[in-house]
Amino acid sequence: WLPALQLLRRGSKAVTRHWKAMPFQRQKLLAVTEYLPPRPAVPPRCLPRHTTEAHEEDGYARVLRQQVQETLRGSRMVAVCQYNSMPDEDVVTLRHYLRKHGIHVKFVLNEVVRPVLAQSKYRNLLPLFVCRNILLVSPETRAREMLRVLKGVPQVNLLGACIDDTILSRQGVEKFARLPPLEVSQGQTVAALSLLSSQTSSLLQRGPARLTALLDEHIRRLREAGGPTEPPPDQSTGNR
């Protein structure tokens, strides 16, 4: 049985759109007129990150900052050194030899010590904190002993120091270590000042002393010649 109406499609499907290559002139026009957004003057990766949320300060970081402030406040010598990895036994030995001279080793983090230095008199030491650093602090100026100990530890390199509120480089610390102790310098200064005063006193006393010597020599010659040196006391009284 076949239906009464049957549709039959013969032939291929009509395709009205075929792919056609774009003309070269139009390609150049589109490439020239393409919109290019302007580049920023500063790359985005170089800009500071915007923190939308205000993070609360960590209590442990606050305690570490207070410890750094107390350490810097009670130290006359603060040396910044670059620290490279070394065995724990060598670290203990280094601490022992430095502690014998009254020098203490402080391991600090840059994010902790930088805010403290920025608000203190040690702000000029900030460029030295670019890697893993340690601080060598002492209530006395022990530069000579510190250099002697660090000479045998190549893993710890001295970068700079602040001694008696004076910023010194490594060469400056070495020159400071070659200076004589403060007591010796004070003695030399006192000796130089006393020498000048003694020379001045001797120059001032030279004229009177020579005059006295000449008068004594003149009196002695008169006595040897037998002449009267001074009138008798009775004659001088009678004349009056």
Side-chain angles (χ1 to χ4, degrees), residues 128-174:
L128 302 180
F129 290 87
V130 294
C131 56
R132 190 177 182 185
N133 302 99
I134 61 175
L135 294 178
L136 304 182
V137 297
S138 174
E140 300 294 335
T141 55
R142 306 287 185 178
R144 185 177 306 174
E145 293 80 0
M146 179 185 65
L147 292 176
R148 188 183 304 117
V149 175
L150 294 182
K151 187 177 181 181
V153 186
Q155 292 85 357
V156 179
N157 301 320
L158 179 63
L159 301 178
C162 180
I163 302 177
D164 288 338
D165 300 338
T166 303
I167 305 296
L168 300 175
S169 62
R170 179 183 177 89
Q171 293 77 12
V173 176
E174 293 176 353

Side-chain angles (χ1 to χ4, degrees), residues 183-200:
E183 294 78 7
V184 178
S185 301
Q186 291 177 349
Q188 293 176 354
T189 304
V190 172
L193 295 177
S194 61
L195 178 61
L196 294 177
S197 60
S198 62
Q199 289 179 353
T200 304

Side-chain angles (χ1 to χ4, degrees), residues 43-103:
R45 62 178 180 275
C46 299
L47 296 175
R49 297 181 180 179
H50 298 283
T51 56
T52 56
E53 300 179 359
H55 298 282
E56 185 178 357
E57 185 180 7
D58 189 7
Y60 181 65
R62 191 184 309 113
V63 172
L64 292 178
R65 291 194 185 98
Q66 292 178 358
Q67 292 179 356
V68 172
Q69 290 177 356
E70 294 176 359
T71 301
L72 297 178
R73 192 180 301 114
S75 302
R76 293 179 56 190
M77 184 185 73
V78 179
V80 183
C81 300
Q82 180 184 2
Y83 175 77
N84 299 316
S85 298
M86 54 188 304
D88 297 338
E89 295 81 3
D90 296 343
V91 176
V92 173
T93 305
L94 175 64
R95 285 177 176 268
H96 171 70
Y97 282 111
L98 289 175
R99 195 181 298 113
K100 288 174 61 178
H101 302 290
I103 305 173

Side-chain angles (χ1 to χ4, degrees), residues 210-222:
R210 185 172 182 180
L211 178 59
T212 304
L214 292 175
L215 292 176
D216 293 341
E217 182 66 19
H218 181 65
I219 293 172
R220 187 182 63 80
R221 290 182 180 180
L222 290 177

